Amino acid sequence: MYGISYWFLPAFSGCVWLGTLLGMLGGWVANGEPQYPWMDGQTIAFISHVGATYWGKPLFIAGSATAQVAFVLCFISERWLRHRGRLTHNYTTAEKALSVCASIFAIIGACGLILLTIFDTRRYPPVHEAMLAVFIAGYIISAIFICAEYQRLGIFFREYRILRASFWIKLTFIIVEIALAIAFGVTQYRTADNSAAIIEWIIALMYIFYTWSFIIDFLPATRTKHKDHRFPPVRAADDEMAMNTQHQGSMTNGPVYSSGGHYGDTESHGSQQPMQQGERAGPSQNF
């Protein structure tokens, strides 16, 4: 049931990035935790410090490029699978626009990471720092857009709990990464470089879990390979009940789920299984 499918892309991307980080950290420790001339006297190396060494830079570039290409393909695949009905269709044009914006900023973030590995902190410190900001900002903004898309999908497809789970995971990533980015900036401003280095490693590790969160997004696609099992196309203009429910959500200052997207002629309790004849969906609820 869960054979190799599109979920492999985020799994592979996260594993490559994890392997890259462990390889760089392990290499630095194995070499006796050296203090490189470009470390400005601190004792804990930034990822970028290790990535500026003769042995760390090839690993940093190769690992980052591979992980980022695979992760960008996740966004492209998600858009394609929704279009084909392998995942729940986007209900409105706004959702499609949010998905496209998420993809664009993910590409920007990916380019930032790849470029910062090329323009290392030893030889090109201003460019390196600028690309680091592009990387962090790009993926945080991308996560905001994709959270907005999933929140809107949840209004019309409340029967698919997988959307709610993915929404909360990604929202948690946004909150934690913004907090860590602020802490990173403050520690650097106060020249607490060792603390800043620790926070940078944590930010990089948190990014892995964000990448892996896309695995659950692609799980429904493992059951919709056959055309008969795909999600039927829906349009907001054709579903008066969903439109009324959306209006109700606006009146109560929050999204209210409707059963706007039907799986065949039945509704569904969970991520994919239709409800039995005569069963009714539970009451609407907010994210």
Side-chain angles (χ1 to χ4, degrees):
M1 183 173 83
Y2 294 119
I4 296 297
S5 184
Y6 289 91
W7 62 263
F8 178 76
L9 288 172
F12 174 74
S13 176
C15 288
V16 169
W17 183 237
L18 176 61
T20 301
L21 293 178
L22 292 179
M24 295 174 68
L25 180 60
W28 179 67
V29 172
N31 287 329
E33 302 180 11
Q35 297 183 34
Y36 303 114
W38 50 93
M39 287 177 60
D40 297 327
Q42 67 189 87
T43 58
I44 301 177
F46 283 102
I47 300 173
S48 305
H49 290 153
V50 180
T53 62
Y54 73 93
W55 61 269
K57 187 167 184 174
L59 175 61
F60 200 18
I61 293 176
S64 298
T66 303
Q68 291 310 298
V69 169
F71 195 37
V72 166
L73 288 176
C74 291
F75 288 85
I76 297 173
S77 298
E78 190 259 359
R79 177 88 287 281
W80 172 250
L81 290 172
R82 294 203 187 283
H83 175 72
R84 297 289 295 175
R86 297 285 301 277
L87 299 175
T88 52
H89 286 275
N90 287 119
Y91 206 74
T92 64
T93 302
E95 292 166 11
K96 295 179 182 179
L98 290 170
S99 177
V100 171
C101 288
S103 300
I104 291 173
F105 278 97
I107 293 172
I108 292 173
C111 290
L113 179 56
I114 294 172
L115 289 174
L116 76 83
T117 65
I118 297 172
F119 296 98
D120 61 73
T121 189
R122 177 184 178 184
R123 301 173 182 85
Y124 314 97
V127 179
H128 181 86
E129 292 177 2
M131 291 302 100
L132 176 61
V134 169
F135 163 59
I136 295 175
Y139 271 114
I140 288 178
I141 296 173
S142 174
I144 291 173
F145 277 119
I146 204 164
C147 271
E149 179 196 2
Y150 276 49
Q151 188 266 351
R152 292 182 64 87
L153 282 170
I155 294 175
F156 306 107
F157 297 99
R158 70 178 178 86
E159 63 268 32
Y160 302 124
R161 296 191 183 102
I162 202 168
L163 293 171
R164 190 187 314 170
S166 182
F167 169 83
W168 283 111
I169 291 172
K170 291 172 176 59
L171 181 61
T172 300
F173 166 80
I174 293 172
I175 295 172
V176 173
E177 287 291 86
I178 289 177
L180 288 172
I182 293 173
F184 178 75
V186 170
T187 51
Q188 279 208 310
Y189 178 77
R190 295 181 176 179
T191 63
D193 292 332
N194 284 333
S195 298
I198 294 173
I199 293 173
E200 185 190 49
W201 284 97
I202 294 174
I203 290 175
L205 290 172
M206 283 294 301
Y207 172 73
I208 296 171
F209 292 101
Y210 173 64
T211 303
W212 282 341
S213 75
F214 283 79
I215 294 175
I216 65 173
D217 298 340
F218 288 121
L219 289 182
T222 62
R223 299 185 176 187
T224 54
K225 292 181 180 180
H226 195 278
K227 290 184 178 181
D228 293 339
H229 298 156
R230 295 183 182 180
F231 294 89
V234 291
R235 294 184 303 171
D238 296 335
D239 196 340
E240 183 178 355
M241 182 181 67
M243 294 174 68
N244 291 336
T245 306
Q246 184 181 19
H247 176 70
Q248 181 182 354
S250 300
M251 295 295 291
T252 57
N253 296 322
V256 179
Y257 295 107
S258 77
S259 56
H262 293 287
Y263 196 96
D265 296 326
T266 59
E267 292 175 318
S268 169
H269 279 306
S271 60
Q272 293 294 320
Q273 296 299 324
M275 295 173 62
Q276 299 299 320
Q277 185 70 26
E279 287 190 84
R280 297 179 61 85
S284 298
Q285 55 183 310
N286 294 336
F287 264 126

